[in-house]
Amino acid sequence: MSDWPYNTRAWRKLRRLVLAERPWCRYCEQAGELRPADTVDHTVPVREAPDRAFDRSNLQPLCASCHSTVKQSEDVRGYSSMVGADGWPVDDRHPVYQDSGMNAGRGRGRR
């Protein structure tokens, strides 16, 4: 992880604010669980959109586990493989929703 923007006072303040406003991991919530968030993630990575580094609409609270596993694999694949409590993938970009119109609209999308 590069130092900027994470080594700035502005980032530390924004991170505290996001975690105070949304204390639960977004991915865990979508899977029907409640785990405290301890990481603030950029939905569009800073390397792709440095102009959105401090944009609150580009930030999401995650637990360390989801950030280091689910989010990283999502960045590589282009979709999340997480499933919700109903057993269906939570991401509309998942291939199961791309194969046919049969399951259209079941995903809950992230972005």
Side-chain angles (χ1 to χ4, degrees):
M1 165 172 31
S2 84
D3 289 341
W4 186 88
Y6 308 105
N7 64 346
T8 66
R9 182 175 294 155
W11 171 256
R12 289 188 296 272
K13 182 178 179 180
L14 181 58
R15 179 186 178 281
R16 281 191 305 269
L17 181 65
V18 169
L19 291 174
E21 289 177 350
R22 299 182 60 202
W24 304 112
C25 174
R26 182 175 180 203
Y27 288 2
C28 289
E29 278 187 299
Q30 289 180 330
E33 302 173 23
L34 277 184
R35 289 196 183 134
D38 54 14
T39 303
V40 175
D41 174 65
H42 291 90
T43 54
V44 177
V46 172
R47 71 181 171 279
E48 293 176 21
D51 58 312
R52 296 191 64 199
F54 298 98
D55 177 355
R56 287 175 66 183
S57 69
N58 188 40
L59 302 176
Q60 63 183 348
L62 299 178
C63 66
S65 177
C66 285
H67 186 260
S68 65
T69 57
V70 179
K71 172 63 178 183
Q72 301 306 314
S73 65
E74 180 180 319
D75 284 348
V76 170
R77 286 189 190 111
Y79 63 89
S80 172
S81 58
M82 283 184 58
V83 296
D86 61 0
W88 284 92
V90 298
D91 193 336
D92 289 331
R93 298 170 297 164
H94 192 282
V96 73
Y97 301 120
Q98 309 307 315
D99 293 340
S100 72
M102 176 172 82
N103 294 321
R106 287 199 57 123
R108 292 176 216 121
R110 287 205 199 292
R111 295 184 187 164

